């Protein structure tokens, strides 16, 4: 069965997990954790390709801001992106990155989050649609992803059309994007 078939059940079972204790939630938004998320020393761009507008935007933004850390393209097929060597999976990273931009189709997000958890990635920004904006099933998938981030990655920003969803340690918050 495809990965999308398993997730609604996983989303329901996630609710059976014990809640994250308040002290742990506060640790998720500590100055050190926020620095890792908003000023990472290393970034993986999952789903990067030379033709991806999002990947070009991340690379250009990193260059424009003088980012001096590691910017690692991740793609299962490509060998180079923007002249940089590519790793096939987050599991193949030599060391965990502070932040992963996840730019894959919605049906591949679950596998990437699995890889991120195993690889020790500390934060993720998911740029995908097919979540809350498509109805109850999408909402369940988004809540599953947020729970996954809270328990494994400890940070998440998931993009939906015209809005962004930010996990803050206490829950999800909707942030409207420019018109």
């Amino acid at each position: 069965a495809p990965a999308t078939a398993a997730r609604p059940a996983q989303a329901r079972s996630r609710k059976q997990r014990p809640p994250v204790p308040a002290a742990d939630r506060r640790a998720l938004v500590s100055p050190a954790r926020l620095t890792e998320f908003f000023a990472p020393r290393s970034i993986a761009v999952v789903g990067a390709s030379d033709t991806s507008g999002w990947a070009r935007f991340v690379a250009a933004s990193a260059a424009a801001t003088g980012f001096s850390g590691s910017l690692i393209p991740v793609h299962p097929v490509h060998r180079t992106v923007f002249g940089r060597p590519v790793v096939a999976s987050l599991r193949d990273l030599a060391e965990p990155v502070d932040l992963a931009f996840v730019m894959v189709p919605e049906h591949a997000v679950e596998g990437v989050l699995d890889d991120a958890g195993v690889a020790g990635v500390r934060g993720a920004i998911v740029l995908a649609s097919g979540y809350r904006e498509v109805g109850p099933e999408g909402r369940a998938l988004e809540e599953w992803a947020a729970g996954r981030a809270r328990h494994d990655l400890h940070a998440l920003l998931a993009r939906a059309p015209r809005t962004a969803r930010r996990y803050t340690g206490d829950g999800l918050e909707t942030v409207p994007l420019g018109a």
Side-chain angles (χ1 to χ4, degrees):
T4 55
R7 282 181 290 175
Q10 288 174 337
R12 285 190 297 275
S13 68
R14 183 196 63 78
K15 293 179 183 177
Q16 297 171 356
R17 290 184 188 177
V20 177
D24 291 344
R25 284 195 313 267
R26 283 189 297 275
L28 296 178
V29 292
S30 70
R33 289 292 292 124
L34 291 173
T35 297
E36 287 177 346
F37 192 79
F38 289 106
R41 293 167 298 182
S42 54
I43 299 172
V45 184
V46 183
S49 71
D50 288 323
T51 59
S52 166
W54 281 112
R56 279 194 310 271
F57 177 76
V58 170
S61 295
T65 60
F67 178 72
S68 61
S70 300
L71 183 66
I72 305 163
V74 179
H75 197 283
V77 177
H78 298 297
R79 296 198 184 259
T80 63
V81 172
F82 306 129
R84 297 172 183 264
V86 173
V87 297
S89 164
L90 289 171
R91 295 176 189 234
D92 297 325
L93 293 170
E95 58 185 57
V97 294
D98 288 339
L99 183 63
F101 281 91
V102 180
M103 300 178 250
V104 299
E106 176 271 324
H107 68 272
V109 170
E110 179 179 7
V112 172
L113 291 178
D114 285 341
D115 292 347
V118 169
V121 174
R122 300 281 291 166
I125 296 175
V126 178
L127 299 165
S129 61
Y131 292 96
R132 183 175 305 253
E133 74 279 3
V134 299
E137 183 178 329
R139 183 183 185 113
L141 294 176
E142 183 177 312
E143 289 173 358
W144 172 85
R148 188 62 190 274
R150 182 173 53 249
H151 286 88
D152 296 341
L153 302 176
H154 310 298
L156 175 72
L157 174 67
R159 180 206 171 265
R162 298 177 108 19
T163 64
R165 303 288 292 166
R166 174 174 55 217
Y167 177 74
T168 63
D170 292 320
L172 289 169
E173 172 184 10
T174 300
V175 180
L177 299 176

